[in-house]
Amino acid sequence: MNALPLPTRRDEAWRYSDLEALGEVWPSGVVWERIAVPAGETRALTLVADAAQPVSVRDWTVTIADGARLDLHILNLGGRYGRVALDVTLGEGSHFELGAAQVGGGKATLEIVTHVRHAAPGATSRQTVRTVLAQQATGTYLGKVAVDRGAQKTDAAQSVKAMLLDRTATANAKPELEIFADDVKCAHGATVGELDATQYFYLTSRGLPPAEAKRLLLQAFLADAFAGMDDAGARETLEAASLAALERLA
């Protein structure tokens, strides 16, 4: 592990990273983890990357066997630098669900990097990522869906949206498809914008204080990442942590 060279920006997966912060923990301070979901089983995992940890880097290798399912929900609050990287391989008829939210302010750098490989027929994947950034924060999503030859009937989708609360914040979004099968359904979309002025005006014109109206709109925006979670307690924990992070941006 100690022989691993520090990444450079020549590697697309690290183009927008805070390499100075990364150097403080590389490689011994990086959390390297392997997750395997056995055939036919269903697992649900939740990760909160706490802002109290100045530099947090996680690298997960995930294998989802035939007919299995993994639901993964991530809240990346970071501190100075927070990165979550996922390398996922799907078996036949398996499913991967990712719901992730990032909230950052100051000069934080937050990243979610995914590589989802459909290696067999009939697998499905859904990735939903929502990011809110303020001050001089940078938020990045780099996501590649690769469909192998023979992985027919693949159904994959990526939905990536970022909201900038200040013009000095930066969002990078790069959903990517690499398809070598011909009977597939794959879609992706990415948007970067600001708080909807019409919705904000509607709420304030009906008596909501401006700060409350802004908070409600941001909460609803982030809630997309956690919609459909079966574990109500886990969802409430993520929503409460994201609300606390939003209040710190005020």
Side-chain angles (χ1 to χ4, degrees), residues 6-18:
L6 185 70
T8 72
R9 289 196 175 84
R10 289 192 295 272
D11 184 339
E12 179 64 22
W14 300 91
R15 175 184 291 188
Y16 305 106
S17 304
D18 184 340

Side-chain angles (χ1 to χ4, degrees), residues 197-210:
T198 302
Q199 294 179 345
Y200 179 74
F201 174 77
Y202 178 86
L203 292 177
T204 55
S205 66
R206 276 149 182 78
L208 275 182

